[in-house]
Amino acid sequence: MARPPSNADPHLLFRRTERLPSVIHSNLPDPPVSTTARLRAALTSDGVDRISSLPDSLLREIVSRLPAKDAARTAALAERWRGIWRSTPIVLVDAHLSNSARASSPDVTAVVSRILSEHPGPFRCVHLTRSSMDARQAHLRLWLRLLAARGVQELVLVNRPSPSEVPLPKTLFSISTLTRLYIGVWKFPDAAGLQGASFPHLRELGICSVAVESGDIDAVVARSPSLEILNIQGTMKGVRLCLVSNSLRCVQICAFVLESVDVVSAPCLERLILSECLNPAGGSCTRVKIGNVPKLSLFGYVEPAKYALEIQDTVIMAGIRTSASMMVTSVKTLSLKVRFGVHSEVKMVPAFLKCFPNVEALHIMSGKCDQPAGKLNVKFWEEVDPIVSARLRMKVMTFLDYHAQQDEIAFLQYIFENAQVLKYVLVSAINPRYTSLSMDDMTSTLYAMSDELWLSKFSFAVGGTHGPEGGEPWTFRRGANFSESDPLAPVKFIIRAGPETHQQKPQVGKTQKQKPHAGKTSQQKPQAGKHRN
């Protein structure tokens, strides 16, 4: 394993080592069956088994919804059930075969081998996460050959950590029936060994704590013409990503040591989420280049301290004069993580906002600053050229980990004095554990703000959190849930329709500041209509 970068966040490294199994498992998809399911043959008063008289198609549907161990036991219910499970596309989850949630035993490995050998398939879904494969590589190669022959559709394959660089057999890349694939804690095979590999039906790919080289992930994406969701989490060796895909809709990269990511062409991409990524070279920023992404609507978490943003062929810098070629007009939701005590980062905020002129929802995370550089020139925000999104488009803004710094207040004041259609604002103070100020101290600075020049009448919720500094770790489930229009929002904003127009219209006037709440921000639900006239 490559040595971690010298500038790596110690909290991040802790999560990658001591908590590696839990971090990986929190990002894995849930299996489609549960061990709470139970099946019992129902007998009527005359002793007749009505269930066993059902057509084979219905019996197979019943068995397919059971864990593999329970599915096999149905053969003992009645003669009618014998053989049903062998002709049913079953779900195999090795965690369901062990009495201990953390156990990795030879018995589980043996049961997996027996089920894969005896059941003719197909396998609808297989989760193998409970075996340390360093000493069982022969089993692994056999499993993959059987899964390829049985036409598995969804596969989650995670090696138990230590050692973490067990080679991933190339047989995996011959399973052309896969629709979802998650791999964790492996060493990726050489990209040259993927000749002839193809995943024509693969729609979702997760790569978790896998030792990869530059070009490995690109090669898999290129061989997956139906891929919609790409999730990458955790590696200690810096790589370069170059993404070209006509099908990708969501890309999430978390806790990844990344030299650069170049989204060359992704005409269907809707969401690009980067969280806790680092450059392997100390003091250097990860290069994030945005190319052909006409449908990109959600982008986060953009960090001036960590990312050098490049749009088309222009590197975005503080004070740059924005042109049309530098704007991504499709983005409606944007998240920034800024240390407001670092002037170089604050000066990048207007530059970033000008590149996304149609942003309607802005989410800010105020980062920790160990040694604030003092207040910016008080006229900094007054002298900023107009930001179109802040003036004409922004309807929602959240500000998390508020530290009650003057630079934070100046930014909030700028938004409130320029936003013409702002409807909802949530400011959540940082957990008092991480600051010398009390909750009352922090919230009082917000209530002391002058609203004489605020242009909109909006709901203003002030709250707090008991969570960790920097928020909870990002999970793939949030970003890949397309039924959630804004997964970056810390709360759900409920819009109440008016009695006649069926749409709440913003009104100019003073804004009511709701009573602060020191609970978790995820429980707050600011609603329209709570204003002071």
Side-chain angles (χ1 to χ4, degrees):
M1 180 72 72
R3 185 179 298 277
S6 59
N7 65 334
D9 183 343
H11 297 290
L12 177 59
L13 295 180
F14 175 78
R15 282 196 292 271
R16 291 178 180 171
T17 53
E18 298 297 326
R19 295 179 55 201
L20 181 60
S22 62
V23 171
I24 291 175
H25 283 270
S26 68
N27 278 313
L28 297 178
D30 293 326
V33 299
S34 169
T35 54
T36 60
R38 291 292 183 268
L39 181 65
R40 182 178 62 184
L43 299 177
T44 61
S45 58
D46 58 3
V48 178
D49 178 5
R50 305 295 187 190
I51 293 180
S52 295
S53 64
L54 294 173
D56 285 358
S57 59
L58 288 180
L59 294 181
R60 282 192 287 268
E61 182 67 21
I62 293 172
V63 174
S64 71
R65 297 175 183 273
L66 297 175
K69 182 169 60 176
D70 292 335
R73 290 173 177 170
T74 59
L77 293 176
E79 183 177 357
R80 180 73 178 78
W81 291 83
R82 292 173 186 172
I84 288 293
W85 89 278
R86 288 179 55 84
S87 61
T88 299
I90 66 170
V91 174
L92 173 59
V93 181
D94 62 355
H96 296 167
L97 306 176
S98 172
N99 294 326
S100 171
R102 297 181 178 272
S104 172
S105 67
D107 291 340
V108 172
T109 303
V111 174
V112 169
S113 295
R114 184 167 65 251
I115 293 175
L116 290 177
S117 299
E118 294 180 358
H119 196 285
F123 285 89
R124 182 161 60 98
C125 178
V126 174
H127 281 225
L128 303 176
T129 64
R130 288 292 186 265
S131 294
S132 179
M133 302 309 303
D134 182 46
R136 301 184 177 95
Q137 295 189 46
H139 287 87
L140 177 61
R141 289 191 291 270
L142 173 62
W143 291 354
L144 292 177
R145 286 197 298 270
L146 291 172
L147 289 172
R150 305 294 196 262
V152 65
Q153 297 175 5
E154 298 186 16
L155 176 61
V156 175
L157 186 63
V158 178
N159 176 39
R160 298 284 289 187
S162 185
S164 60
E165 290 197 3
V166 176
L168 190 63
K170 297 177 183 178
T171 310
L172 173 68
F173 301 96
S174 66
I175 307 179
S176 60
T177 54
L178 286 170
T179 60
R180 172 188 277 174
L181 172 63
Y182 275 73
I183 54 177
V185 199
W186 302 101
K187 181 179 180 181
F188 205 82
D190 295 337
L194 301 182
Q195 299 296 331
S198 177
F199 295 114
H201 307 293
L202 189 65
R203 295 192 300 271
E204 183 174 345
L205 173 63
I207 299 174
C208 304
S209 296
V210 175
V212 297
E213 301 288 342
S214 296
D216 290 343
I217 297 175
D218 307 344
V220 177
V221 172
R223 289 165 170 78
S224 306
S226 301
L227 188 65
E228 296 184 359
I229 299 171
L230 174 62
N231 296 326
I232 307 171
Q233 177 261 321
T235 183
M236 301 293 281
K237 183 175 182 179
V239 300
R240 296 181 298 276
L241 294 178
C242 185
L243 300 179
V244 178
S245 171
N246 290 325
S247 57
L248 272 177
R249 297 179 60 197
C250 176
V251 173
Q252 303 182 87
I253 307 174
C254 305
F256 199 66
V257 181
L258 187 64
E259 291 185 22
S260 65
V261 53
D262 186 354
V263 186
V264 179
S265 180
C268 294
L269 186 65
E270 301 171 29
R271 299 178 176 184
L272 176 60
I273 300 172
L274 310 174
S275 178
E276 294 186 329
C277 294
L278 296 170
N279 190 293
S284 298
C285 289
T286 295
R287 174 175 166 267
V288 179
K289 184 174 182 180
I290 307 297
N292 177 33
V293 287
K295 292 186 178 181
L296 184 65
S297 61
L298 183 148
F299 187 23
Y301 294 85
V302 185
E303 299 188 51
K306 295 182 179 179
Y307 305 142
L309 181 62
E310 183 175 342
I311 298 178
Q312 299 299 342
D313 295 316
T314 302
V315 178
I316 309 304
M317 298 180 294
I320 193 171
R321 298 185 67 87
T322 310
S323 64
S325 63
M326 299 159 50
M327 297 181 184
V328 185
T329 58
S330 58
V331 171
K332 299 295 181 63
T333 303
L334 179 67
S335 176
L336 303 177
K337 186 172 183 178
V338 183
R339 294 180 297 175
F340 278 86
V342 180
H343 296 173
S344 59
E345 294 187 28
V346 178
K347 291 178 179 179
M348 285 297 300
V349 173
F352 284 159
L353 291 178
K354 290 176 184 179
C355 292
F356 305 98
N358 293 325
V359 166
E360 297 179 358
L362 176 64
H363 305 297
I364 299 287
M365 171 71 74
S366 184
K368 177 182 179 181
C369 182
D370 295 325
Q371 296 180 340
K375 293 185 293 184
L376 279 174
N377 185 319
V378 294
K379 294 185 178 181
F380 172 74
W381 287 104
E382 296 177 8
E383 297 172 351
V384 168
D385 291 334
I387 300 174
V388 173
S389 60
R391 291 178 63 86
L392 303 178
R393 305 280 189 267
M394 195 178 301
K395 300 176 182 177
V396 171
M397 189 184 76
T398 64
F399 194 105
L400 303 185
D401 276 9
Y402 173 76
H403 295 73
Q405 297 176 359
Q406 288 300 315
D407 291 328
E408 296 174 324
I409 296 173
F411 170 75
L412 291 172
Q413 192 72 28
Y414 170 81
I415 296 296
F416 298 161
E417 291 182 2
N418 286 271
Q420 299 180 20
V421 296
L422 193 61
K423 293 182 178 180
Y424 305 103
V425 174
L426 167 67
V427 178
S428 176
I430 192 171
N431 188 331
R433 289 180 55 193
Y434 304 107
T435 178
S436 59
L437 301 177
S438 68
M439 177 65 68
D440 288 341
D441 291 335
M442 289 184 282
T443 56
S444 65
T445 61
L446 295 167
Y447 285 96
M449 294 177 66
S450 173
D451 59 3
E452 295 297 330
L453 299 178
W454 296 3
L455 292 185
S456 300
K457 183 177 181 180
F458 53 85
S459 291
F460 188 3
V462 177
T465 178
H466 298 303
E469 189 175 31
E472 298 290 344
W474 183 259
T475 58
F476 293 147
R477 289 185 182 90
R478 290 175 61 186
N481 181 8
F482 288 101
S483 65
E484 185 68 51
S485 61
D486 186 358
L488 298 176
V491 297
K492 292 183 181 296
F493 294 92
I494 302 173
I495 301 178
R496 290 181 176 177
E500 296 180 358
T501 62
H502 303 290
Q503 183 176 3
Q504 191 73 26
K505 294 184 178 180
Q507 301 178 18
V508 176
K510 295 184 179 180
T511 305
Q512 179 189 24
K513 300 167 187 174
Q514 297 176 5
K515 184 177 180 180
H517 182 275
K520 294 182 180 180
T521 57
S522 60
Q523 296 175 349
Q524 300 172 6
K525 295 183 179 180
Q527 299 181 2
K530 297 181 179 180
H531 305 296
R532 182 179 68 227
N533 292 327

